[in-house]
Amino acid sequence: MEEFYRPLGDGSFAATPATAGPWSPDAQHAGPVAGLLGRALERHEPVPGTRVARVTVEILGPVPVAELAVTARVVRPGRRVALLEAVMTHAGRPVARATAWRILAAPERLPAFSHAPAPPPLPESTPPLETWPEAHADGYLAAMEWRVVEGALGRPGPGVTWARARVPLVSGEADTPLVRALVLADSASGVGSQLDLSKWLIINTDLTVALHRDPVGEWLCMGAAVHTSPRGSALCEAALADRSGDFGRVLQTLLVDEPPG
């Protein structure tokens, strides 16, 4: 594996097998999808002194491991606050869209406050990632390096893990802090699932990532948990941290159903 996407020019990209999610080798994990949309948002008409503070990705359907196009625009312009939108299409059909608030960076004299506990130390190594038997583990799951602290993808329960991408989002480019956070963030429902993923179909309709500062370094820590309600739905929430401490939150709305067959 060398990258998640190869650029084809004019906003088009070829998705590589590294993007494939655990449910099928033909459908992408939303982590790389979110990263590519976030990359487009960051690059569109940048304004010095501002930063992307919140990204919400709407997953409109399965994203195939195929050629994609990404466009971005400004919805609400502003010097201090601007709303941006990016759309991903396959063969002319929208498959995902994202909105982002780009805001003016706070003054350096602003006091730093964080009420989240310090993340656990990064383990020097951990056993190979544990998944459920039917999972496709040769795509995204293998393209990420995992050091699990608590829980496991193949075992129900809240979890905590450190992770980093083994490959860049786009070939020939260094990932930005926002991209690194987005590529990991959609794993929250797997890291923190209370449900046996071999017995339940769990699909997130969206992904929201809010960052009060940009992460530092390759390794990011995620602590996640899933809340479920009979005749309701499920909600996943996660905290993001780096070696310096907390930097953001993740929220996912989840469809839960009996698996087909």
Side-chain angles (χ1 to χ4, degrees), residues 4-236:
F4 286 115
Y5 300 100
R6 293 192 300 273
L8 302 176
D10 297 326
S12 295
F13 301 85
T16 72
T19 64
W23 304 109
S24 167
D26 301 318
Q28 293 190 47
H29 189 282
V33 170
L36 196 60
L37 288 166
R39 172 185 179 275
L41 293 165
E42 277 191 305
R43 288 170 168 243
H44 186 70
E45 299 180 7
V47 177
T50 65
R51 58 182 296 272
V52 174
R54 191 274 290 160
V55 176
T56 295
V57 178
E58 311 288 353
I59 303 167
L60 306 178
V63 180
V65 180
E67 185 175 328
L68 305 163
V70 180
T71 59
R73 69 186 182 103
V74 177
V75 177
R76 187 271 195 194
R79 185 179 62 85
R80 292 191 296 181
V81 178
L83 180 64
L84 311 180
E85 179 187 54
V87 178
M88 176 180 290
T89 60
H90 168 66
R93 178 178 62 88
V95 291
R97 65 184 291 270
T99 56
W101 282 109
R102 185 175 64 197
I103 64 176
L104 188 69
E108 289 189 19
R109 64 184 183 87
L110 179 71
F113 295 109
S114 178
H115 304 285
L122 171 65
E124 292 187 7
S125 65
T126 58
L129 184 68
E130 179 183 338
T131 64
W132 62 102
E134 299 83 4
H136 174 68
D138 293 332
Y140 171 85
L141 294 181
M144 300 289 289
E145 183 176 359
W146 308 90
R147 294 193 185 172
V148 178
V149 178
E150 298 177 15
L153 291 179
R155 194 181 330 129
V160 179
T161 187
W162 286 87
R164 67 177 176 181
R166 302 179 190 270
V167 300
L169 181 74
V170 175
S171 57
E173 294 182 9
D175 292 347
T176 66
L178 176 66
V179 164
R180 290 197 297 271
L182 291 173
V183 167
L184 173 63
D186 192 67
S187 299
S189 57
V191 171
S193 181
Q194 299 285 140
L195 302 173
D196 186 335
L197 299 180
S198 67
K199 298 179 180 178
W200 293 95
L201 176 65
I202 302 175
I203 301 174
N204 60 299
T205 60
D206 53 57
L207 169 70
T208 293
V209 180
L211 308 177
H212 64 82
R213 68 171 174 86
D214 295 338
V216 177
E218 290 185 317
W219 284 102
L220 303 181
C221 184
M222 170 187 285
V226 171
H227 313 276
T228 62
S229 296
R231 302 193 65 81
S233 56
L235 183 70
C236 179

